[in-house]
């Protein structure tokens, strides 16, 4: 079935953890107050092109989207989805320019695998790559991927296949 399959958070709002969420069927998200249920569900809106500032809860001095979901340069949000021509991934990461708190988007052909997003240490442990390291790693693996998209309107044009926005971009 075509569409979004899963969301993976790597070193995101739960530091040091890889958190997969299957979304291609029925899913139950449960946990205690403050455990991140709403934070996970808000990511669905981001995948379909919502402005990151629209999903922020800035009440009480809470962090911006980037500071909450992508707090470190090792933080990644990976949306795995299926198209007619196979699995693809959208990767969100903190923009590599120092001090710039905005997301960067990059599409890649193929589904998620640890090898595509990490390198292996001598002891067999995976070390996930920083967003700015993905391009060089994917070139080495000869993966197909897009240029870095820096504006949510340009991302929305692609993910929603909006011809008018695509012409503008």
């Amino acid at each position: 079935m075509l569409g979004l399959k899963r969301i993976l958070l790597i070193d995101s709002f739960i530091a040091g953890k890889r958190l997969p969420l299957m979304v291609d069927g029925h899913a139950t998200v449960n946990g205690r107050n403050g455990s991140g249920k709403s934070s996970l569900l808000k990511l669905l809106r981001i995948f379909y092109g919502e402005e990151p500032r629209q999903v922020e809860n800035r009440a009480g001095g809470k962090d911006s989207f980037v500071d909450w979901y992508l707090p470190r340069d090792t933080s990644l949000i990976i949306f795995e989805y299926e198209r007619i021509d196979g699995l693809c991934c959208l990767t969100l990461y903190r923009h590599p320019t120092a001090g710039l708190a905005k997301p960067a988007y990059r599409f890649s052909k193929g589904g998620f695998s640890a090898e595509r997003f990490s390198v292996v240490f001598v002891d067999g442990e995976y070390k996930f790559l920083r967003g700015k390291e993905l391009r060089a790693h994917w070139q080495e693996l000869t993966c197909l991927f897009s240029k870095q998209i820096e504006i949510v309107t340009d991302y929305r044009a692609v993910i929603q296949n909006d011809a008018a926005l695509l012409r503008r971009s």
Side-chain angles (χ1 to χ4, degrees), residues 16 18 114-115 117-129:
R18 181 173 76 179
E115 295 79 21
F117 291 89
S118 60
V119 292
V120 180
F121 282 126
V122 176
D123 60 359
E125 291 287 319
Y126 285 107
K127 173 190 175 271
F128 282 94
L129 297 166

Side-chain angles (χ1 to χ4, degrees), residues 70 73 75-76 89-98 100-108 130-136 138-139 144-156 158 169:
L70 305 167
D73 63 351
S75 300
L76 301 172
C89 288
L90 164 69
T91 305
L92 264 73
Y93 50 95
R94 191 177 193 99
H95 195 282
T97 304
L100 201 60
K102 74 176 202 175
Y105 306 78
R106 197 178 290 270
F107 291 97
S108 62
R130 298 181 309 210
K132 66 182 182 181
E133 298 169 329
L134 290 174
R135 182 178 184 268
W138 289 344
Q139 283 178 321
L144 295 175
F145 59 92
S146 72
K147 67 178 187 160
Q148 178 173 286
I149 300 171
E150 301 181 356
I151 301 169
V152 71
T153 308
D154 294 343
Y155 163 70
R156 185 181 311 122
V158 174
S169 301

Side-chain angles (χ1 to χ4, degrees), residues 8-20 69 72 74-76 128:
L8 295 110
L9 287 92
I10 297 172
D11 194 27
S12 184
F13 61 89
I14 302 174
K17 298 287 185 186
R18 181 173 76 179
L19 178 67
Y69 288 96
R72 292 163 290 282
T74 53
S75 300
L76 301 172
F128 282 94

Side-chain angles (χ1 to χ4, degrees), residues 45-104:
R45 293 170 43 198
I46 294 296
F47 176 74
Y48 290 105
E50 184 79 69
E51 290 275 350
R53 62 179 156 67
Q54 296 295 96
V55 300
E56 294 174 358
N57 181 1
R58 299 302 296 263
K62 292 193 177 177
D63 291 335
S64 69
F65 175 85
V66 171
D67 290 335
W68 176 249
Y69 288 96
L70 305 167
R72 292 163 290 282
D73 63 351
T74 53
S75 300
L76 301 172
I77 302 171
I78 302 163
F79 296 92
E80 184 183 65
Y81 62 100
E82 187 153 1
R83 297 172 16 135
I84 292 172
D85 58 345
L87 285 175
C88 297
C89 288
L90 164 69
T91 305
L92 264 73
Y93 50 95
R94 191 177 193 99
H95 195 282
T97 304
L100 201 60
K102 74 176 202 175

Side-chain angles (χ1 to χ4, degrees), residues 155-166:
Y155 163 70
R156 185 181 311 122
V158 174
I159 202 68
Q160 294 180 2
N161 196 26
D162 186 322
L165 278 179
L166 285 169

